[in-house]
Amino acid sequence: MAHGHHFHLDATGHSVTVNMYSGHPGLIELLVDGKETGHITLRGNRPRLVAGELPTDPPLPVTVHITPGPGIPRCTAVIEGVETLMTPRAF
């Protein structure tokens, strides 16, 4: 795969990471504590959603809103109804 972008958030004691890979087709991965919990294809600059769960008791849903472009990509995570900007990180 070609280059990509990486976003991270620490939430309720867990690591939430989004990896975006460009290419044809592109790929978006959602990882919780380093394990893939969801993935979708990247389709141009159209906003995308990917859902997963935090391994709490009971499991806590997390939805990530991805805006690939134009320009610099942006990711936010929604956990317990609160939307939080995810920090971009170097790959």
Side-chain angles (χ1 to χ4, degrees):
M1 289 191 185
H3 75 285
H5 297 276
H6 177 78
F7 298 88
H8 184 79
L9 176 68
D10 289 319
T12 65
H14 297 281
S15 170
V16 179
T17 303
V18 172
N19 294 322
M20 295 175 56
Y21 301 100
S22 60
H24 297 286
L27 177 68
I28 298 171
E29 297 175 323
L30 173 61
L31 294 92
V32 175
D33 295 336
K35 296 179 183 173
E36 184 178 314
T37 62
H39 67 271
I40 56 173
T41 56
L42 181 60
R43 299 181 182 185
N45 287 330
R46 292 191 352 217
R48 305 288 288 161
L49 296 175
V50 62
E53 291 182 332
L54 298 179
T56 56
D57 188 20
L60 192 59
V62 57
T63 302
V64 177
H65 298 250
I66 301 112
T67 307
I72 298 171
R74 181 175 188 247
C75 284
T76 59
V78 179
I79 302 169
E80 295 187 301
V82 177
E83 187 171 20
T84 305
L85 184 64
M86 296 182 70
T87 306
R89 300 262 173 105
F91 246 113

